[in-house]
Amino acid sequence: MRTWHIGNFKITEVHELPIQVGLLDGLIAEATPEVVRGFDWMYPDYANEAGQTLWDIHSYVVDTGEQVVLVDAGCGNGKSYPMQPSFGGLDTRFLERLEEAGYGREDIDAVLCTHLHLDHVGWCSMRNGEGRWIPTFPNARLVLVRDEYERHTGLMTASEDDGSGVAVDVGEDRIARAFLADATSLSEQTKLIQEETFQPVIDAGLLELVPANAEVATGVRYVSTPGHTSAHHSVRLDSGGQSAFITGDFIHHPIQIARPGWSSQGDWDAEASAGNRRAFLESCAGTDLLVLGTHFTGAGAGYVVADGDGYRLTQVKPEAAGARTPRAVFSTQS
Ligand SMILES: [Zn+2]
């Protein structure tokens, strides 16, 4: 189990599952096997010998000493995901791994989701002994960015209200196009997520909607990184003069650090996604900002340094000697 320390904060990665190799081939269209094999630093952590990109799904527990915050909530167990069946009906040891990391369900004070795609929200609820969906973390506020929550709920209601949902739905969320979906299945999928995952939290009075770039706990802040979805937010951590940045799907795979202009087929706005990545990587290259990737395999995190026409992730912390301070990086947009 990987852990990192940022000032007084302890960050623990809690693994949920590897994504089946090949499932996401082509998601980043430019990253063909030949091209991927040309980036040495993809190996062995982020690609296989066939040039296929590697992905997994995990959450981060951020223990600030005052609050325990879970960032992203994976797929969850036993969920109904007709839009992405391989992520549905799971029975993983996620909660046991959380225990092994030293945290019970009741220890989590807040849950943050970078965006509300099904692989980032699932553990907000679980089935109890009677099979009823209940909040997994009974003492946790589910703190979501209001715009992102409204984007999600809009996918449910657009089709119901005016029958024009086909164009609205597919245009709003290209992941639907990337994965088999027509508008109906996206709308139906969204309703299922609402019913199984968010409604139990709402019923328990635990949902809290916050503005863009909100600080959720001392040193734990949402940072607007739109592109993958229209209101996608990464999460920035600051403690004791050190900082970390949890990407969410703003950087979907490390190959997008090598070539920030390569967006994912699942992005809502590929250009916004690319523009934000360029600005972010430019601003943090050579700094000691620790970048943690929500779908990154292998080392799963590192520091960004310039590399030819792009950047790379390194495990070696840039020395303080002249290193630019990352303090202004994507931190003061509110
Ligand atoms: Zn994702």
Side-chain angles (χ1 to χ4, degrees):
M1 195 164 304
R2 280 189 292 261
T3 61
W4 299 266
H5 290 269
I6 293 294
N8 297 322
F9 292 5
K10 180 181 181 188
I11 306 167
T12 305
E13 182 188 299
V14 183
H15 177 75
E16 186 181 40
L17 75 159
I19 295 180
Q20 183 194 332
V21 175
L23 184 71
L24 300 184
D25 285 359
L27 188 63
I28 298 167
E30 296 91 340
T32 61
E34 300 70 41
V35 169
V36 169
R37 283 196 293 259
F39 292 101
D40 289 350
W41 69 272
M42 286 296 121
Y43 292 89
D45 287 359
Y46 310 121
N48 68 12
E49 285 179 12
Q52 291 171 293
T53 50
L54 303 176
W55 307 67
D56 73 13
I57 299 178
H58 50 257
S59 298
Y60 296 102
V61 176
V62 180
D63 189 339
T64 74
E66 294 168 3
Q67 294 265 299
V68 181
V69 179
L70 187 81
V71 179
D72 277 335
C75 298
N77 275 358
K79 292 295 169 80
S80 307
Y81 294 147
M83 204 173 115
Q84 187 50 270
S86 63
F87 295 167
L90 294 176
D91 183 18
T92 71
R93 295 183 65 256
F94 180 84
L95 291 178
E96 286 86 344
R97 291 187 199 114
L98 186 67
E99 287 272 0
E100 286 158 20
Y103 304 98
R105 295 191 288 120
E106 66 286 349
D107 295 329
I108 306 297
D109 297 303
V111 178
L112 277 57
C113 299
T114 57
H115 63 297
L116 305 189
H117 284 163
L118 56 83
D119 56 322
H120 295 259
V121 300
W123 279 108
C124 292
S125 72
M126 59 179 275
R127 285 194 195 274
N128 69 3
E130 287 100 56
R132 203 162 48 82
W133 292 108
I134 58 168
T136 304
F137 309 107
N139 302 318
R141 301 175 291 148
L142 173 59
V143 186
L144 302 179
V145 173
R146 179 180 298 277
D147 289 348
E148 178 63 13
Y149 183 70
E150 288 179 354
R151 178 198 66 77
H152 158 84
T153 54
L155 292 174
M156 283 191 305
T157 54
S159 343
E160 279 178 353
D161 290 351
D162 55 21
S164 68
V166 173
V168 173
D169 280 359
V170 178
E172 173 66 14
D173 197 328
R174 291 173 55 201
I175 199 111
R177 278 201 293 247
F179 296 109
L180 67 81
D182 53 40
T184 308
S185 65
L186 180 58
S187 170
E188 290 310 310
Q189 179 63 83
T190 306
K191 286 179 201 165
L192 284 167
I193 292 171
Q194 191 67 18
E195 184 185 313
E196 294 183 344
T197 296
F198 293 130
Q199 199 58 48
V201 179
I202 294 169
D203 292 345
L206 293 170
L207 177 65
E208 181 179 333
L209 300 178
V210 296
N213 297 305
E215 185 169 35
V216 174
T218 303
V220 181
R221 175 182 286 275
Y222 272 123
V223 176
S224 174
T225 47
H228 186 65
T229 65
S230 56
H232 184 283
H233 278 65
S234 302
V235 175
R236 183 178 165 112
L237 310 173
D238 293 283
S239 174
Q242 298 182 323
S243 303
F245 196 89
I246 299 173
T247 60
D249 290 1
F250 156 63
I251 303 178
H252 221 175
H253 186 275
I255 196 79
Q256 294 174 307
I257 294 173
R259 290 293 179 270
W262 295 353
S263 290
S264 158
Q265 300 289 320
D267 286 351
W268 165 76
D269 183 333
E271 273 183 42
S273 171
N276 273 319
R277 265 193 310 278
R278 285 194 193 94
F280 171 76
L281 293 166
E282 202 279 320
S283 68
C284 71
T287 73
D288 59 1
L289 182 76
L290 177 67
V291 176
L292 301 125
T294 306
H295 290 306
F296 293 8
T297 47
Y303 306 94
V304 174
V305 292
D307 183 24
D309 295 336
Y311 304 89
R312 60 186 288 149
L313 211 51
T314 170
Q315 297 304 301
V316 183
K317 191 170 182 171
E319 281 310 318
R324 298 147 62 207
T325 170
R327 221 156 283 158
V329 175
F330 279 66
S331 66
T332 53
Q333 299 181 343
S334 55

